[in-house]
Amino acid sequence: MKNYKITLIKGDGIGPEIIDEAVKVLDAVASSCDFGFNYDEALMGGCAYDITGDPLPKETITKSLNSDAVLFGAIGGPKWDNLPREKRPESGLLRFRKELGVYANLRPAVVYDELINASSLKPEVVKGVDLMVVRELIGGIYFGEPKGRDENKGWNTMVYTRSEIIRIAHQAFKIAMTREKRVCSIDKANVLDVSQLWREVVTEVATQYPEVELSHMYVDNAAMQLIRDPRQFDVMLTGNIFGDILSDEASMLSGSIGLLPSASVGAKIGVFEPIHGSAPDIAGQGIANPIATIASASMMLRYALGENEAADKIDNAIKRALKEGYRTQDLAQFDAKEVCSTSEMGSIIANYIER
Ligand code: NAD
């Protein structure tokens, strides 16, 4: 029997609670398929700083690189907010992604029919939304040189090289091939030189995927179109800063931050995590929504382990739990038949899989 090695990084705040539920669901899916999991825990974030003085201990990188995938909860909290920048939990996470070389961030935004009223947009606008933002994660203006500031001036540089654009474009086209075969590449080519190169290179890469329809959109228009008619999108391909903003905007289409997973891939090892943070305001109360993390585990099966059937099982079990009216506190006002705890939601989803 195949055994996958999974590094679990629970992190801070609600991290341990939500990871425990994802593990429960992964074990349920393994028992119904012909593979198993070996889990190994590693430290990151405030809890790692408290124990080792470093938010990203070397051992965490070593363990992660020696596994098949990393399932990650969340890090951070007010306790560590006043540390010097390099000691803060968030710095550990940025360093982690860079060390692993995960250059592609996948953020699906799906509107579940059962939760259509949770969206801040009208049901007729969001019904059936199912899009994926593919964001370049370790280049662009967040990393470009030169950068700096003095008393009267601050500057950053948006740089993309041809090879960085080629590899992220391939990710987007490959994912589009498993979906509706449409890629919309987002840029600001009417103003930025870096975007002109982006558009040119994406267009070249597209010739290798003749079945995929490519369109281009300026980022300001994309921000508007996401609200006006989000169903027009299948895969949105973006650079780092544009994707940062647009993927947060897209996440709001579905109503709750507690529902949305993400994957950071492209290197040997992928990192799978909910899009939300450590939610210190609700940590330890057993009320966090574990669905984003469970859906991240499903993305891990699909994009890191190639276990698509198992991923489908998890996705269907999540849909079924929502359809049957089970809701955690954050969604209690949206057609709940029963409000359940973090752990009850995990068990309900796991039970649907086992049955
Ligand atoms: P947050 O996402 O932690 O919380 C925002 C709001 O959403 C809170 O009211 C919280 O209770 C709620 N929420 C979040 N996840 C939920 C869930 N699963 N179920 C129910 N409700 C949920 O964002 P924040 O409050 O801005 O940040 C808190 C800490 O998390 C900060 O230290 C921040 O730096 C860190 N953070 C970490 C990550 C990460 O680990 N990837 C991402 C974002 C923020």
Side-chain angles (χ1 to χ4, degrees):
M1 192 175 77
K2 211 182 307 172
N3 255 312
Y4 294 114
K5 269 173 79 176
I6 307 299
T7 302
L8 296 179
I9 301 179
K10 295 183 173 181
D12 308 313
I14 61 171
E17 302 165 50
I18 53 180
I19 288 286
D20 285 350
E21 298 318 305
V23 167
K24 197 187 272 177
V25 170
L26 282 172
D27 286 341
V29 90
S31 71
S32 71
C33 298
D34 58 348
F35 57 79
F37 295 107
N38 287 327
Y39 305 106
D40 195 5
E41 283 190 37
L43 291 172
M44 199 201 314
C47 58
Y49 173 79
D50 287 348
I51 295 171
T52 69
D54 184 349
L56 178 63
K58 264 207 177 69
E59 194 193 11
T60 297
I61 300 170
T62 316
K63 278 186 180 179
S64 301
L65 288 172
N66 285 322
S67 60
D68 292 307
V70 177
L71 188 62
F72 172 67
I75 44 102
K79 182 178 170 195
W80 303 283
D81 276 352
N82 296 321
L83 289 173
R85 176 151 6 140
E86 73 282 4
K87 296 284 181 198
R88 288 187 53 167
E90 294 79 3
S91 303
L93 181 56
L94 285 184
R95 206 149 43 91
F96 185 62
R97 290 174 179 152
K98 192 91 185 165
E99 292 265 358
L100 261 56
V102 283
Y103 62 82
N105 187 234
L106 318 183
R107 290 250 308 241
V110 175
V111 175
Y112 295 103
D113 278 354
E114 296 71 25
L115 290 175
I116 201 150
N117 293 321
S119 174
S120 44
L121 297 187
K122 292 185 195 126
E124 60 268 30
V125 176
V126 291
K127 187 171 170 47
V129 163
D130 180 358
L131 64 88
M132 173 83 84
V133 179
V134 177
R135 164 191 169 196
E136 201 289 328
L137 196 59
I138 56 175
I141 196 165
Y142 295 160
F143 295 93
E145 296 285 351
K147 65 178 175 203
R149 58 159 295 174
D150 58 28
E151 204 180 315
N152 298 311
K153 198 164 83 170
W155 59 97
N156 294 84
T157 310
M158 192 190 279
V159 188
Y160 271 115
T161 61
R162 181 171 284 273
S163 60
E164 285 174 323
I165 304 168
I166 289 175
R167 66 183 187 180
I168 190 70
H170 277 295
Q171 286 283 343
F173 286 108
K174 281 185 186 141
I175 287 166
M177 285 298 288
T178 67
R179 299 173 48 97
E180 285 181 20
K181 300 194 173 73
R182 289 184 289 120
V183 170
C184 181
S185 173
I186 310 299
D187 62 39
K188 190 71 184 166
N190 49 344
V191 177
L192 300 175
D193 295 317
V194 59
S195 279
Q196 285 165 10
L197 179 71
W198 178 279
R199 191 175 280 220
E200 194 179 300
V201 174
V202 170
T203 306
E204 281 167 24
V205 174
T207 58
Q208 297 175 46
Y209 300 88
E211 286 177 55
V212 179
E213 179 193 314
L214 170 67
S215 58
H216 302 274
M217 195 178 275
Y218 298 137
V219 63
D220 40 351
N221 186 24
M224 195 172 72
Q225 294 297 333
L226 260 179
I227 300 297
R228 195 187 71 81
D229 177 22
R231 269 188 305 244
Q232 70 184 281
F233 297 109
D234 178 26
V235 172
M236 298 178 86
L237 165 61
T238 78
N240 204 343
I241 189 170
F242 297 159
D244 192 1
I245 298 163
L246 292 180
S247 59
D248 266 21
E249 186 187 347
S251 70
M252 275 299 94
L253 300 171
S254 70
S256 169
I257 198 167
L259 293 171
L260 294 163
S262 79
S264 300
V265 298
K268 191 171 150 262
I269 309 301
V271 183
F272 300 83
E273 57 181 299
I275 70 158
H276 58 72
S278 60
D281 53 333
I282 57 166
Q285 298 175 34
I287 57 171
N289 189 341
I291 290 181
T293 315
I294 295 170
S296 302
S298 161
M299 288 189 87
M300 179 179 86
L301 289 165
R302 199 180 299 282
Y303 295 108
L305 310 179
E307 299 286 358
N308 291 352
E309 204 181 301
D312 288 344
K313 281 187 184 187
I314 295 183
D315 294 347
N316 289 335
I318 292 172
K319 280 190 199 133
R320 180 151 174 215
L322 294 173
K323 197 169 181 169
E324 303 280 328
Y326 294 107
R327 305 277 187 271
T328 39
Q329 202 88 61
D330 52 320
L331 294 168
Q333 73 270 41
F334 301 108
D335 308 315
K337 287 208 192 85
E338 195 176 321
V339 177
C340 49
S341 68
T342 308
S343 146
E344 283 163 348
M345 182 58 99
S347 300
I348 288 160
I349 293 170
N351 284 339
Y352 285 146
I353 292 169
E354 275 160 358
R355 271 192 253 151

